[in-house]
Amino acid sequence: MTVSRPDATTARVEPAAGRERIAFTTTVVDGHLLVVPADAAPLLRTQQVDRRLFDVTELIRLGYDDASRPTVPMIVQPGSTARTKQRIAEAGGLMGRDLPAVRGLAVQARKADTKGLWETLKSTKPRVWLDGIRQLSLDVSVPQIGAPTAWQAGYTGEGLAVAVLDTGVDADHPDLKGKVTARSFTEDPTPGDVHGHGHHVASTVAGTGAASSGKYKGVAPDATILSGRVCGSFGCPDSAILAGMEWAAVDQKAG
């Protein structure tokens, strides 16, 4: 498929080998270009397949276009059985991490050879989601939510562990020293924060204010942090977020 620009509302469809007889429907919904093959339409209606897999505008926005990467990342659910994994592997799918919390499996589909995997997924009938990318944003500061009033009432987070699934943290920073248990769920095994957002969030949650003589203290300064790095420089894969949630809630008993 070829589009002239990222926000294009038309596309030239070039069926893959062996799919020349498949018809395609092209529509524009809320400014997004959707290109749906006829054999996918029934699966979309029953929500077996994620519509974002056919949303050309969204795929380009996420950096999943052909110029940016050779695979499409997906989450197959349920994908935890040995038989499902075997069939996906035989069809050329690249298997990633297990996602027990949703009985799922992260899978990479090679764009150069998706026909076999598509036929396998249709026949085995799991639910197939795009492994999308979540983006980071900042929020309001500690005084605006009334944290000082909570401290005066004795609510400081003592004895609590708070999971922060983000870009990681700088565990050596004075505000978080000795308060962090960390793990990375990204392709980079380093749990430290090179972006800054995760550390900002963790400090907002449980920073002691040691580096500022107490001026910039977090919401729950006596809590500890479970830092799951689920975000890389490009964003936060859904599969990494799910794996981080599993680690925090099940393995670490957060909350």
Side-chain angles (χ1 to χ4, degrees):
M1 177 186 316
T2 304
V3 296
S4 59
R5 61 183 190 279
D7 61 345
T9 55
T10 59
R12 179 166 57 88
V13 179
E14 304 166 12
R19 291 179 59 80
E20 293 84 358
R21 296 181 180 275
I22 300 295
F24 290 80
T25 300
T26 301
T27 57
V28 177
V29 179
D30 296 329
H32 283 230
L33 174 65
L34 305 179
V35 179
V36 180
D39 57 346
L43 306 181
L44 285 171
R45 286 195 292 270
T46 60
Q47 298 184 343
Q48 180 184 331
V49 176
D50 189 352
R51 190 180 80 164
R52 293 177 300 166
L53 287 163
F54 308 97
D55 186 336
V56 177
T57 306
E58 182 69 0
L59 292 171
I60 293 173
R61 186 187 73 83
L62 295 175
Y64 289 172
D65 55 288
D66 291 351
S68 301
R69 60 182 299 156
T71 61
V72 177
M74 305 181 300
I75 295 173
V76 177
Q77 177 193 36
S80 55
T81 67
R83 179 56 178 158
T84 299
K85 291 181 179 180
Q86 180 183 352
R87 295 196 64 178
I88 288 173
E90 290 173 348
L94 304 175
M95 287 180 289
R97 60 167 57 95
D98 285 317
L99 302 168
V102 295
R103 296 190 302 126
L105 174 70
V107 176
Q108 298 278 341
R110 295 186 181 95
K111 294 179 183 178
D113 185 26
T114 57
K115 181 177 181 294
L117 182 58
W118 173 242
E119 295 299 331
T120 294
L121 292 174
K122 284 198 303 179
S123 65
T124 54
K125 297 183 179 180
R127 298 188 73 178
V128 183
W129 306 91
L130 180 70
D131 191 351
I133 298 288
R134 308 298 165 175
Q135 298 299 330
L136 304 168
S137 61
L138 297 178
D139 208 341
V140 296
S141 61
V142 173
Q144 290 177 298
I145 64 170
T149 302
W151 300 338
Q152 291 174 3
Y155 299 108
T156 63
E158 185 175 2
L160 298 177
V162 180
V164 176
L165 306 180
D166 210 293
T167 61
V169 302
D170 176 7
D172 293 326
H173 191 281
D175 283 11
L176 296 174
K177 191 80 170 177
K179 295 167 61 75
V180 177
T181 299
R183 180 173 171 183
S184 176
F185 296 90
T186 69
E187 294 177 357
D188 182 351
T190 306
D193 188 5
V194 297
H195 186 283
H197 188 274
H199 183 76
H200 166 83
V201 172
S203 295
T204 300
V205 171
T208 62
S212 60
S213 300
K215 181 178 180 180
Y216 301 116
K217 190 157 52 173
V219 174
D222 291 331
T224 56
I225 293 291
L226 297 171
S227 172
R229 183 180 177 187
V230 299
C231 303
S233 58
F234 58 89
C236 318
D238 290 343
S239 55
I241 295 171
L242 287 167
M245 292 169 64
E246 178 87 11
W247 169 74
V250 178
D251 297 346
Q252 299 296 321
K253 305 292 190 298

